[in-house]
Amino acid sequence: DFCMFVEIECKAILGYSKTRWLSPSVERILKLFPALKSYFLSLDKVPLIFKTFFSNSCAELWLNFIRSQAATCHQHVLNIEGQNILAVEVFNEIKQLKNNLMRKKPNKFIPLSIRMLIRQLEYDGLVQESDILTVIESFYSTSEQYLTSWTYHFEELEIMEFITLKKIPNWSEIEKVVKFISNKGFFNPNNDTALFDQFMLTLQYVTQEKIDEWNLEKKYSDQRWVCIFKYFKEKDIQCDKMIIIVEYVLCLAGSNASTERVFSHITKIWTKEKTHLNVSTLKVLVINFDYTCLEFYELLKKNNLLIKKNYI
């Protein structure tokens, strides 16, 4: 009824969502904002937080600002939660996001749609543009400080950026990693001469043309190194020292998102019905099971009653 009253298309409000889905959630609220405002302000008894929010002339403006910032973060979050993300790639994503925020601050960047809202509110005498800009600049500074505080431990990974093979690596980059890994006790610094020779051979394969080819194919970092070591194997080239360096960096996972996905899949499969087996039943099934897989399969095929029960 309230959507019809304000002449907007009726849409279902999205349910509870995690932070990474904040952008589409805010998007939906904005589409229904006139109806939601009309509804909550028409109630005799309304929670104070809703009454205060919808009575605020800047409410829609700040929702639009949140949407724009959430959209900026959203793609970085998706990349960080990727299947094959490395720790050094997470560092790069965070660095890009921080740089994005800090470039916006001195330029006082505001999306055009929000700037138009500010001008309309200022024209109506409800706000001062300078006050809004002060809050937005503070937001950019606070966001950058927050990211720095919670991600400082990634900074030492900057020296490992060579592993992505987005550009041709150089020996000085490898040397820094060797020093880092040697201090951790995972590489013997006396082997650096052999490592240097193997690295130089690596550069014979890793040309700019090869990197452009990988970029075009969107190969993950680990897949690029697989190509290199396959080449070494085919040419019977020693690469044991180079492998130590690469393995160490590649084993530093960027996030546990891929592991969490396993649990998500399990919850879809492991339903309440499938957890009703008690220990004694399970023992009978496991211990007294004398069929091979093929025999059990044939047995099930012939048991029409059992098949019927499972399909009902």
Side-chain angles (χ1 to χ4, degrees):
D1 292 341
F2 285 91
C3 287
M4 293 176 62
F5 175 72
V6 295
E7 298 180 346
I8 63 172
E9 182 183 352
C10 182
K11 294 181 181 294
I13 293 291
L14 298 177
Y16 167 80
S17 65
K18 296 182 179 179
T19 306
R20 61 177 175 271
W21 302 117
L22 181 62
S23 182
S25 300
V26 175
E27 179 78 29
R28 181 60 57 85
I29 293 173
L30 279 168
K31 287 181 178 179
L32 295 173
F33 187 81
L36 291 171
K37 181 177 181 178
S38 176
Y39 169 73
F40 282 109
L41 294 184
S42 69
L43 297 176
D44 294 329
K45 294 182 179 180
V46 59
L48 181 60
I49 188 171
F50 288 126
K51 184 176 181 180
T52 303
F53 176 75
F54 285 107
S55 298
N56 190 326
S57 56
C58 294
E60 190 172 5
L61 183 153
W62 290 121
L63 278 175
N64 273 281
F65 182 73
I66 291 172
R67 176 182 60 178
S68 68
Q69 300 312 309
T72 299
C73 299
H74 186 64
Q75 188 56 51
H76 290 288
V77 172
L78 290 179
N79 292 340
I80 289 173
E81 292 184 343
Q83 187 68 21
N84 290 6
I85 191 78
L86 302 176
V88 66
E89 291 171 328
V90 171
F91 167 77
N92 286 334
E93 289 291 337
I94 295 170
K95 183 170 67 173
Q96 289 174 24
L97 179 56
K98 286 169 63 176
N99 290 340
N100 181 293
L101 291 168
M102 295 318 295
R103 282 193 294 267
K104 288 178 178 177
K105 180 183 175 182
N107 290 289
K108 298 181 179 179
F109 172 77
I110 305 174
L112 182 60
S113 59
I114 298 173
R115 193 172 289 279
M116 291 173 64
L117 286 172
I118 293 174
R119 288 173 180 170
Q120 182 60 50
L121 290 170
E122 190 174 37
Y123 178 80
D124 295 337
L126 298 173
V127 299
Q128 290 290 328
E129 183 175 359
S130 58
D131 295 336
I132 300 295
L133 289 176
T134 299
V135 175
I136 290 175
E137 286 181 35
S138 176
F139 168 83
Y140 289 140
S141 297
T142 303
S143 298
E144 191 273 336
Q145 291 168 10
Y146 176 85
L147 286 171
T148 300
S149 298
W150 284 94
T151 61
Y152 69 91
H153 50 281
F154 279 101
E155 292 177 0
E156 63 182 6
L157 300 176
E158 187 171 11
I159 62 173
M160 302 179 185
E161 195 168 354
F162 82 93
I163 200 72
T164 62
L165 290 177
K166 296 295 174 61
K167 61 182 182 66
I168 298 176
N170 58 63
W171 174 247
S172 63
E173 294 173 316
I174 305 298
E175 209 167 22
K176 291 175 183 176
V177 178
V178 169
K179 183 178 179 181
F180 178 86
I181 296 178
S182 297
N183 291 336
K184 301 289 185 181
F186 289 97
F187 187 82
N188 185 349
N190 294 326
N191 293 327
D192 60 346
T193 301
L195 174 64
F196 176 80
D197 294 338
Q198 293 176 15
F199 174 70
M200 289 296 111
L201 291 171
T202 302
L203 294 184
Q204 294 180 12
Y205 182 80
V206 184
T207 61
Q208 188 57 53
E209 290 76 13
K210 177 59 69 173
I211 289 177
D212 292 340
E213 178 187 326
W214 285 334
N215 291 340
L216 188 63
E217 295 173 355
K218 296 182 179 179
K219 277 190 179 294
Y220 293 116
S221 300
D222 57 338
Q223 294 173 337
R224 300 181 186 210
W225 285 102
V226 167
C227 293
I228 293 171
F229 292 134
K230 277 185 176 179
Y231 169 79
F232 275 29
K233 186 176 181 180
E234 290 170 1
K235 300 296 182 181
D236 197 24
I237 299 173
Q238 190 76 10
C239 58
D240 56 325
K241 304 300 184 292
M242 197 69 202
I243 285 177
I244 294 173
I245 303 298
V246 173
E247 281 184 342
Y248 183 92
V249 181
L250 287 180
C251 79
L252 302 176
S255 74
N256 66 342
S258 56
T259 305
E260 292 294 335
R261 287 192 191 96
V262 174
F263 289 104
S264 297
H265 290 312
I266 289 174
T267 55
K268 293 177 183 177
I269 299 170
W270 196 255
T271 60
K272 290 181 179 179
E273 291 77 12
K274 293 179 181 177
T275 59
H276 285 172
L277 290 177
N278 57 39
V279 176
S280 59
T281 306
L282 189 60
K283 282 183 178 179
V284 170
L285 288 174
V286 175
I287 297 174
N288 297 331
F289 196 82
D290 296 325
Y291 298 99
T292 65
C293 292
L294 184 59
E295 289 171 342
F296 186 60
Y297 170 71
E298 293 296 333
L299 180 67
L300 290 177
K301 280 175 60 177
K302 296 174 183 177
N303 194 325
N304 294 326
L305 180 61
L306 184 61
I307 293 173
K308 186 177 180 181
K309 283 183 178 180
N310 279 279
Y311 277 94
I312 290 177

mmCIF file of all heavy atoms in Angstrom, residues 54-73:
data_model
loop_
_atom_site.group_PDB
_atom_site.id
_atom_site.type_symbol
_atom_site.label_atom_id
_atom_site.label_comp_id
_atom_site.label_asym_id
_atom_site.label_seq_id
_atom_site.Cartn_x
_atom_site.Cartn_y
_atom_site.Cartn_z
ATOM 1 N N PHE A 54 14.491 8.356 9.755
ATOM 2 C CA PHE A 54 13.637 8.778 8.642
ATOM 3 C C PHE A 54 13.187 10.234 8.763
ATOM 4 O O PHE A 54 12.722 10.819 7.784
ATOM 5 C CB PHE A 54 12.432 7.850 8.516
ATOM 6 C CG PHE A 54 12.770 6.511 7.922
ATOM 7 C CD1 PHE A 54 12.800 5.370 8.709
ATOM 8 C CD2 PHE A 54 13.089 6.393 6.579
ATOM 9 C CE1 PHE A 54 13.115 4.139 8.163
ATOM 10 C CE2 PHE A 54 13.413 5.165 6.023
ATOM 11 C CZ PHE A 54 13.431 4.029 6.820
ATOM 12 N N SER A 55 13.339 10.808 9.941
ATOM 13 C CA SER A 55 13.022 12.232 10.107
ATOM 14 C C SER A 55 14.192 13.116 9.694
ATOM 15 O O SER A 55 14.029 14.324 9.497
ATOM 16 C CB SER A 55 12.651 12.523 11.567
ATOM 17 O OG SER A 55 11.499 11.798 11.949
ATOM 18 N N ASN A 56 15.357 12.499 9.575
ATOM 19 C CA ASN A 56 16.564 13.244 9.205
ATOM 20 C C ASN A 56 16.542 13.549 7.708
ATOM 21 O O ASN A 56 16.411 12.647 6.883
ATOM 22 C CB ASN A 56 17.808 12.417 9.557
ATOM 23 C CG ASN A 56 19.089 13.231 9.431
ATOM 24 O OD1 ASN A 56 19.210 14.098 8.581
ATOM 25 N ND2 ASN A 56 20.038 12.937 10.299
ATOM 26 N N SER A 57 16.683 14.797 7.357
ATOM 27 C CA SER A 57 16.632 15.204 5.950
ATOM 28 C C SER A 57 17.804 14.654 5.140
ATOM 29 O O SER A 57 17.737 14.589 3.910
ATOM 30 C CB SER A 57 16.608 16.732 5.845
ATOM 31 O OG SER A 57 17.730 17.292 6.516
ATOM 32 N N CYS A 58 18.877 14.245 5.837
ATOM 33 C CA CYS A 58 20.069 13.730 5.140
ATOM 34 C C CYS A 58 20.102 12.205 5.067
ATOM 35 O O CYS A 58 21.093 11.635 4.602
ATOM 36 C CB CYS A 58 21.339 14.218 5.841
ATOM 37 S SG CYS A 58 21.588 15.995 5.752
ATOM 38 N N ALA A 59 19.051 11.545 5.529
ATOM 39 C CA ALA A 59 19.059 10.080 5.598
ATOM 40 C C ALA A 59 19.317 9.450 4.233
ATOM 41 O O ALA A 59 20.175 8.573 4.087
ATOM 42 C CB ALA A 59 17.732 9.584 6.170
ATOM 43 N N GLU A 60 18.591 9.892 3.230
ATOM 44 C CA GLU A 60 18.750 9.313 1.895
ATOM 45 C C GLU A 60 20.133 9.624 1.325
ATOM 46 O O GLU A 60 20.738 8.800 0.638
ATOM 47 C CB GLU A 60 17.658 9.845 0.962
ATOM 48 C CG GLU A 60 17.599 9.124 -0.371
ATOM 49 C CD GLU A 60 16.403 9.536 -1.205
ATOM 50 O OE1 GLU A 60 15.666 10.464 -0.788
ATOM 51 O OE2 GLU A 60 16.198 8.938 -2.279
ATOM 52 N N LEU A 61 20.627 10.805 1.629
ATOM 53 C CA LEU A 61 21.959 11.202 1.163
ATOM 54 C C LEU A 61 23.022 10.248 1.700
ATOM 55 O O LEU A 61 23.873 9.753 0.949
ATOM 56 C CB LEU A 61 22.250 12.637 1.617
ATOM 57 C CG LEU A 61 23.566 13.285 1.171
ATOM 58 C CD1 LEU A 61 23.394 14.799 1.119
ATOM 59 C CD2 LEU A 61 24.731 12.949 2.108
ATOM 60 N N TRP A 62 22.964 9.968 3.010
ATOM 61 C CA TRP A 62 23.990 9.109 3.610
ATOM 62 C C TRP A 62 23.844 7.659 3.169
ATOM 63 O O TRP A 62 24.841 6.940 3.047
ATOM 64 C CB TRP A 62 23.951 9.222 5.134
ATOM 65 C CG TRP A 62 24.425 10.556 5.628
ATOM 66 C CD1 TRP A 62 23.732 11.460 6.372
ATOM 67 C CD2 TRP A 62 25.706 11.151 5.371
ATOM 68 N NE1 TRP A 62 24.486 12.582 6.604
ATOM 69 C CE2 TRP A 62 25.706 12.422 6.000
ATOM 70 C CE3 TRP A 62 26.837 10.755 4.674
ATOM 71 C CZ2 TRP A 62 26.802 13.274 5.956
ATOM 72 C CZ3 TRP A 62 27.931 11.611 4.625
ATOM 73 C CH2 TRP A 62 27.908 12.851 5.259
ATOM 74 N N LEU A 63 22.627 7.232 2.911
ATOM 75 C CA LEU A 63 22.447 5.880 2.368
ATOM 76 C C LEU A 63 23.092 5.764 0.988
ATOM 77 O O LEU A 63 23.724 4.753 0.662
ATOM 78 C CB LEU A 63 20.960 5.535 2.277
ATOM 79 C CG LEU A 63 20.283 5.033 3.555
ATOM 80 C CD1 LEU A 63 18.791 4.852 3.320
ATOM 81 C CD2 LEU A 63 20.904 3.722 4.034
ATOM 82 N N ASN A 64 22.941 6.800 0.187
ATOM 83 C CA ASN A 64 23.580 6.807 -1.131
ATOM 84 C C ASN A 64 25.097 6.791 -1.004
ATOM 85 O O ASN A 64 25.789 6.129 -1.784
ATOM 86 C CB ASN A 64 23.139 8.041 -1.926
ATOM 87 C CG ASN A 64 21.850 7.815 -2.689
ATOM 88 O OD1 ASN A 64 21.841 7.207 -3.748
ATOM 89 N ND2 ASN A 64 20.756 8.298 -2.126
ATOM 90 N N PHE A 65 25.602 7.512 -0.028
ATOM 91 C CA PHE A 65 27.056 7.537 0.178
ATOM 92 C C PHE A 65 27.558 6.162 0.622
ATOM 93 O O PHE A 65 28.587 5.677 0.135
ATOM 94 C CB PHE A 65 27.414 8.596 1.221
ATOM 95 C CG PHE A 65 28.897 8.717 1.461
ATOM 96 C CD1 PHE A 65 29.713 9.316 0.519
ATOM 97 C CD2 PHE A 65 29.464 8.215 2.621
ATOM 98 C CE1 PHE A 65 31.087 9.416 0.729
ATOM 99 C CE2 PHE A 65 30.831 8.311 2.841
ATOM 100 C CZ PHE A 65 31.644 8.915 1.893
ATOM 101 N N ILE A 66 26.819 5.532 1.537
ATOM 102 C CA ILE A 66 27.196 4.186 1.995
ATOM 103 C C ILE A 66 27.180 3.207 0.829
ATOM 104 O O ILE A 66 28.073 2.368 0.685
ATOM 105 C CB ILE A 66 26.238 3.710 3.109
ATOM 106 C CG1 ILE A 66 26.469 4.525 4.383
ATOM 107 C CG2 ILE A 66 26.439 2.220 3.395
ATOM 108 C CD1 ILE A 66 25.445 4.263 5.460
ATOM 109 N N ARG A 67 26.175 3.320 -0.019
ATOM 110 C CA ARG A 67 26.087 2.424 -1.174
ATOM 111 C C ARG A 67 27.306 2.576 -2.078
ATOM 112 O O ARG A 67 27.889 1.582 -2.530
ATOM 113 C CB ARG A 67 24.821 2.717 -1.975
ATOM 114 C CG ARG A 67 24.707 1.888 -3.250
ATOM 115 C CD ARG A 67 23.479 2.228 -4.058
ATOM 116 N NE ARG A 67 23.462 3.623 -4.474
ATOM 117 C CZ ARG A 67 22.515 4.166 -5.234
ATOM 118 N NH1 ARG A 67 21.499 3.421 -5.630
ATOM 119 N NH2 ARG A 67 22.561 5.438 -5.571
ATOM 120 N N SER A 68 27.704 3.808 -2.337
ATOM 121 C CA SER A 68 28.844 4.035 -3.231
ATOM 122 C C SER A 68 30.135 3.490 -2.637
ATOM 123 O O SER A 68 30.963 2.906 -3.347
ATOM 124 C CB SER A 68 28.992 5.529 -3.534
ATOM 125 O OG SER A 68 29.376 6.253 -2.377
ATOM 126 N N GLN A 69 30.317 3.650 -1.322
ATOM 127 C CA GLN A 69 31.536 3.150 -0.679
ATOM 128 C C GLN A 69 31.522 1.624 -0.569
ATOM 129 O O GLN A 69 32.555 0.969 -0.730
ATOM 130 C CB GLN A 69 31.694 3.776 0.712
ATOM 131 C CG GLN A 69 31.788 5.289 0.706
ATOM 132 C CD GLN A 69 32.778 5.812 -0.313
ATOM 133 O OE1 GLN A 69 33.925 5.380 -0.374
ATOM 134 N NE2 GLN A 69 32.335 6.758 -1.139
ATOM 135 N N ALA A 70 30.345 1.074 -0.305
ATOM 136 C CA ALA A 70 30.232 -0.389 -0.226
ATOM 137 C C ALA A 70 30.531 -1.019 -1.580
ATOM 138 O O ALA A 70 31.162 -2.080 -1.660
ATOM 139 C CB ALA A 70 28.833 -0.782 0.243
ATOM 140 N N ALA A 71 30.087 -0.361 -2.647
ATOM 141 C CA ALA A 71 30.359 -0.873 -3.990
ATOM 142 C C ALA A 71 31.859 -0.858 -4.278
ATOM 143 O O ALA A 71 32.389 -1.767 -4.931
ATOM 144 C CB ALA A 71 29.611 -0.036 -5.025
ATOM 145 N N THR A 72 32.551 0.166 -3.780
ATOM 146 C CA THR A 72 34.006 0.251 -3.960
ATOM 147 C C THR A 72 34.704 -0.918 -3.278
ATOM 148 O O THR A 72 35.625 -1.526 -3.828
ATOM 149 C CB THR A 72 34.544 1.578 -3.379
ATOM 150 O OG1 THR A 72 33.934 2.669 -4.067
ATOM 151 C CG2 THR A 72 36.053 1.672 -3.531
ATOM 152 N N CYS A 73 34.251 -1.239 -2.078
ATOM 153 C CA CYS A 73 34.878 -2.318 -1.303
ATOM 154 C C CYS A 73 34.465 -3.700 -1.796
ATOM 155 O O CYS A 73 35.218 -4.673 -1.638
ATOM 156 C CB CYS A 73 34.506 -2.188 0.172
ATOM 157 S SG CYS A 73 35.053 -0.646 0.943
#
